[in-house]
Amino acid sequence: MTKQVSTAHLVAMMQDARIRTLELVDDLDSKQLMGPKLQTVNPLRWEIGHVAYFYEYFIARQLYGEESQLGDLADQLYDSIAVSHETRWDLPLLSIEETLKYMQDVMDRLIDRLGALSHENLASEQDSFIYQFGVFHEDMHTEAFLWARQTLAYPTPKLINAKEFLSVEKCGALDGLAEVCGGKFRVGAPANAPFLFDNEKFAHEVIVKPFKISRAPVTNIEFAA
């Protein structure tokens, strides 16, 4: 059971995720938005459209029975199950301008569906779940955008909240291993969690053996050595 949240809260979540998405792609040119064909990343122009498609498919189409504003083209381009990874560079994709317009149009359409936007107006339990589901999916893709930028050696993006970390003293890699003692560990989400994914059902206890782990993520220099 998903905890009902306000319509204003859902819109704020959507807008926050969208700001981050746009920050990660706005500075890239047409060549960078496609990139080389690699198994580990998607062409970003395809991936941006897929984010919009996910919202439209699960909320507008599956939940409310509406048609895609792209018609049959939506499934042909952006269904990540049906469209194999290696073909995504060769598709007749929308231009980046058309893709961003599709993304904004879908968001506007879904916000309109929520009705009055206020912290007092609770969305239905169904909407509370599916809208957050869409937002968390977009959040996961912003991680993929960062991963792609790192993999393809694109410039460091300028993020709104990055200035919060500028005063942090720079430090190098942390050498050595940290020892983690074993024991009982509770994994998963409880049945009364305000939101949970299917693969988090439900909290249960596991036994973890003692292990060691690097004190920090491996750097590119360490990996190349």
Side-chain angles (χ1 to χ4, degrees):
M1 182 174 181
T2 300
K3 179 181 178 181
Q4 288 179 259
V5 296
S6 72
T7 53
H9 178 75
L10 291 178
V11 172
M13 289 181 68
M14 294 172 71
Q15 292 172 336
D16 178 70
R18 186 55 44 81
I19 287 171
R20 180 55 47 82
T21 291
L22 296 178
E23 285 179 328
L24 291 169
V25 301
D26 273 352
D27 64 323
L28 301 179
D29 60 31
S30 58
K31 185 176 180 180
Q32 291 171 319
L33 285 166
M34 292 304 294
K37 187 178 290 188
L38 298 175
Q39 284 294 322
T40 54
V41 298
N42 280 302
L44 293 177
R45 204 168 97 208
W46 176 88
E47 196 164 1
I48 298 164
H50 167 73
V51 168
Y53 170 85
F54 190 93
Y55 281 107
E56 184 185 53
Y57 180 82
F58 281 100
I59 303 177
R61 295 172 59 186
Q62 292 295 307
L63 185 57
Y64 290 110
E66 299 175 359
E67 297 293 326
S68 170
Q69 63 190 65
L70 297 181
D72 294 340
L73 190 61
D75 292 333
Q76 295 168 12
L77 293 180
Y78 299 122
D79 184 340
S80 59
I81 296 176
V83 179
S84 61
H85 178 82
E86 65 273 10
T87 67
R88 294 172 187 173
W89 283 262
D90 306 316
L91 296 168
L93 295 173
L94 304 178
S95 69
I96 185 58
E97 293 78 16
E98 292 169 331
T99 304
L100 293 175
K101 183 179 185 303
Y102 171 49
M103 178 176 260
Q104 186 60 51
D105 287 348
V106 169
M107 174 179 272
D108 291 342
R109 182 176 166 191
L110 297 184
I111 290 175
D112 287 344
R113 266 214 154 275
L114 289 172
L117 302 180
S118 74
H119 291 290
E120 289 71 40
N121 183 28
L122 291 181
S124 68
E125 182 182 340
Q126 197 172 39
D127 280 346
S128 295
F129 173 81
I130 201 67
Y131 275 75
Q132 290 184 88
F133 183 56
V135 169
F136 295 148
H137 173 263
E138 182 166 0
D139 286 340
M140 287 186 280
H141 275 282
T142 59
E143 293 180 9
F145 296 151
L146 280 169
W147 177 7
R149 292 186 68 124
Q150 170 78 3
T151 300
L152 301 173
Y154 291 169
T156 301
K158 296 179 180 179
L159 304 178
I160 288 176
N161 67 354
K163 60 186 178 182
E164 299 175 13
F165 304 99
L166 293 180
S167 61
V168 177
E169 183 178 349
K170 292 184 178 181
C171 58
L174 296 175
D175 297 327
L177 299 173
E179 294 188 10
V180 180
C181 61
K184 294 180 179 179
F185 176 70
R186 195 167 180 80
V187 63
N192 62 349
F195 181 95
L196 56 88
F197 288 106
D198 287 346
N199 61 1
E200 296 175 307
K201 296 179 180 178
F202 286 110
H204 59 282
E205 200 171 78
V206 297
I207 296 176
V208 179
K209 295 180 179 179
F211 65 94
K212 295 180 181 180
I213 189 170
S214 295
R215 296 176 62 212
V218 175
T219 66
N220 288 333
I221 292 176
E222 289 172 331
F223 182 79

